[in-house]
Amino acid sequence: RMLIPFPPGGPTDLVARVIGEAMSTDLKVPVIIDNRPGANGNIGVETAARSDPDGYTIVYNTSAVSIAPALYPKLSFDIDRDFAPIALTATVPLVHLVHPSIPAKTVKDFIDYARARPGQLSYASTGTGTVTHLGAALFQSTNGIQAVHVPFRGSAPALTGLSGNHVQFMTDTVNSSYPLANGGQIRALAVLGSKRVSVLPDVPTLAESGLRDFEIGAWQGIMAPKATPPAIVERLHTSVMRALGDATVKDKLAIQGATILGSTPKEYAEYIKAETKRWAPVVAESGAKAD
């Protein structure tokens, strides 16, 4: 059972299912997808923490686990205490998006436009305290922008709000937003990452736009309950890495704009700790409070 702490069809689910299918072939047992959305991913992660550590339950987690400690003062789980990291899998870059009515054609144009209208623009996110919220908050604080945050319950309704001009901009994962961007319903101005993405080849990075280069993406990985035997963790790690190396998986994830990462269990544990430290001051500065 692969627990996914987010709804079916969302940006995390799209990547997880590709990897789960490849793991199923490698392990020669079905990998059953079990979506448990809610509370910025906390419900699914908590379910995993309480599951039997027999190797038959894993959780496909995201960067939300590194944000949660700063956002939720009374979490029911602790990553160090309750989980055995298996591998970092992929990252899906964020992209800065605007409604076509905004006259800006470049991200610099947008910054000038927004600075001239403090508090007059609103921006969407997939929920308070999510990486799409904090990514936008960091972008704004870095560039002297003040706008009103409008949280939605997921990427699809947030993008609907943007395309309908109920909000004027947002940062969202590239795999959920690129169809609307390529279709002209919204405009992509910059990738918040270190390189361009294949599904939006003409959209520059922040660095290419002459701005501070910082990378913000919705990174993802797989963990098991803490007491899962080391031999099983290693077998699951091998399966994940084989999946990430599979040509079909690479092609499917490339279509989504996802970047394959991969890591050892130890590297993933250290990565989570570093990201938790990174996001704590961003949460504090944004003023985000758990709903």
Side-chain angles (χ1 to χ4, degrees), residues 18 68 78 95 100 118 137-138 196 220 251 261 275:
V18 172
D78 179 273
V95 60
L138 182 59
R196 296 193 184 199
Q220 306 167 359
D251 289 343
L261 298 175
E275 284 290 284

Side-chain angles (χ1 to χ4, degrees), residues 127-153:
T128 299
T130 62
V131 71
T132 61
H133 173 207
L134 298 178
L138 182 59
F139 175 82
Q140 290 172 79
S141 65
T142 301
N143 294 292
I145 296 171
Q146 298 176 16
V148 178
H149 177 222
V150 181
F152 289 78
R153 292 187 179 275

Side-chain angles (χ1 to χ4, degrees), residues 210-233:
L211 299 171
R212 174 188 167 189
D213 183 20
F214 58 86
E215 186 171 354
I216 302 178
W219 55 261
Q220 306 167 359
I222 297 177
M223 304 187 297
K226 184 68 171 183
T228 302
I232 294 178
V233 171

